[in-house]
Amino acid sequence: MMHHLPKAFWRSENESTPVTDLVTSLDDQRLYREVTLALRTGLRDARSDFSFLRLRGLRSILKFLRSVAASDSTINLFSHTQSIPDLQVVPVLFQHSLHDFQDQIITNLDHIFSVQPLKITSPSTDAEVSLALRVLEGSCLLHRESMLLAHHFKAVQVLMNILATRGVLEQGACLDALIAIMMDSSINQLDFEACNGIEEVALLIRDKQVDENLRMKCGEFLLLLIGHVNGREGAPMAGIHDDIRRLLGEKSASLIWAASQFGSTLDPDQRLMALHIQARRVLESLDLY
């Protein structure tokens, strides 16, 4: 037979004492140390010149972000760490793993006229780019100000470059990251408009030579995006419905418009299932022609 353990002698219901306050404070400090240590360790590897070390660091950070997402208290701790420059995740991603995709290529000829050896950095592999995009997605979902940090590194332009040039693995992660950095960021939505983002996604979804899973992901992307910006007069992408009608045709545009209104009352698993089903219908409507 189970017996209830006696309540600690210093505690009474809803009572705060110097002892309980001290215990709580020590627990908070311990948790904060654990969070910052895990982050520092992952970021140290993610800054490496070697791709295999960067990959290890990104895996560690992604695992860390998933554990952070488990409770509001750890999300708040993570948000606090992101106000400290040395612990910020987003800049490291764009300065290292996603560095090759920056639009601005700065040519530095100093090494030609100098005795200093040229620093060699191994290029990012497909797996590294994909993982960096997942970390970017997680950081922005957990910490809204990371969206603004991403804008400072021309995130939308970099991601559209990846979408146009890399393989299916990176393209799928890219679409998820784009949603994460654009959902509540007008400035990133404006960047997406400036890059003709809807047109680029429409090209992929219309192309039957493109991997079917990626086309499905494009359909889900459009459904999520339209469901989010629906009816926001004067906001960025206010003309998104006209763009999709022009790019995909009236039938598919009407289907996307209707389907994008799904599931606000559904639980997350049901919403995900509904999203898959509606994206499949969008693809089928396109494949009729």
Side-chain angles (χ1 to χ4, degrees):
M1 182 178 173
M2 293 289 292
H3 294 284
H4 290 295
L5 292 172
K7 199 179 294 181
F9 70 87
W10 66 80
R11 286 188 193 175
S12 61
E13 202 67 40
N14 300 320
E15 182 182 349
S16 174
T17 70
V19 176
T20 58
D21 289 346
L22 176 61
V23 171
T24 302
S25 174
L26 290 173
D27 282 345
D28 289 345
Q29 289 176 39
R30 176 186 55 76
L31 186 58
Y32 185 71
R33 283 197 302 273
E34 288 175 1
V35 165
T36 54
L37 179 62
L39 200 49
R40 281 187 196 282
T41 303
L43 287 171
R44 182 192 61 214
D45 282 347
R47 292 185 180 100
S48 172
D49 291 337
F50 302 104
S51 183
F52 78 94
L53 284 177
R54 294 197 300 270
L55 199 59
R56 185 176 77 181
L58 291 170
R59 285 198 189 102
S60 172
I61 295 169
L62 190 59
K63 182 179 177 183
F64 162 78
L65 291 176
R66 285 172 176 157
S67 69
V68 161
S71 75
D72 288 342
S73 61
T74 46
I75 290 172
N76 289 336
L77 278 179
F78 173 68
S79 296
H80 178 71
T81 65
Q82 294 310 283
S83 65
I84 302 167
D86 284 350
L87 295 178
Q88 288 175 341
V89 173
V90 169
V92 173
L93 301 177
F94 286 98
Q95 289 163 347
H96 297 275
S97 295
L98 304 176
H99 178 70
D100 293 343
F101 304 98
Q102 297 283 2
D103 278 351
Q104 289 183 321
I105 299 170
I106 299 170
T107 305
N108 185 351
L109 299 178
D110 287 351
H111 66 274
I112 296 175
F113 306 107
S114 167
V115 294
Q116 294 295 326
L118 180 61
K119 184 178 179 182
I120 302 298
T121 302
S122 59
S124 303
T125 62
D126 294 352
E128 182 186 339
V129 172
S130 175
L131 208 51
L133 292 168
R134 294 292 175 205
V135 171
L136 175 64
E137 177 191 4
S139 298
C140 291
L141 289 175
L142 291 172
H143 178 244
R144 290 187 56 166
E145 284 74 13
S146 283
M147 298 175 195
L148 186 58
L149 266 179
H151 168 73
H152 291 318
F153 287 91
K154 301 187 176 182
V156 171
Q157 293 94 318
V158 170
L159 267 57
M160 293 308 298
N161 191 355
I162 293 171
L163 191 64
T165 59
R166 299 291 284 213
V168 172
L169 184 71
E170 301 97 297
Q171 288 172 312
C174 201
L175 290 165
D176 289 336
L178 276 168
I179 284 290
I181 68 173
M182 286 166 54
M183 274 303 194
D184 294 306
S185 173
S186 294
I187 198 162
N188 284 326
Q189 290 174 19
L190 286 168
D191 287 347
F192 186 70
E193 266 192 317
C195 290
N196 299 315
I198 289 294
E199 189 162 346
E200 294 299 321
V201 175
L203 283 171
L204 285 174
I205 199 173
R206 279 198 329 233
D207 186 350
K208 294 177 188 178
Q209 302 303 311
V210 167
D211 178 84
E212 177 141 347
N213 289 328
L214 181 61
R215 293 180 70 215
M216 277 280 288
K217 183 73 86 171
C218 289
E220 293 170 7
F221 175 87
L222 293 176
L223 288 164
L224 288 168
L225 195 59
I226 288 182
H228 185 70
V229 301
N230 174 29
R232 295 170 61 195
E233 289 297 325
M237 298 190 293
I240 190 172
H241 305 295
D242 293 332
D243 291 339
I244 289 182
R245 191 177 295 111
R246 172 175 55 84
L247 293 163
L248 299 181
E250 183 67 47
K251 181 179 175 62
S252 297
S254 298
L255 182 61
I256 291 172
W257 164 257
S260 67
Q261 312 307 305
F262 69 89
S264 59
T265 59
L266 300 175
D267 68 42
D269 288 339
Q270 289 174 319
R271 274 205 300 273
L272 195 58
M273 180 62 69
L275 182 64
H276 289 327
I277 292 168
Q278 301 294 6
R280 169 62 61 196
R281 288 177 182 161
V282 170
L283 251 60
E284 288 169 354
S285 76
L286 288 165
D287 290 344
L288 290 174
Y289 301 102

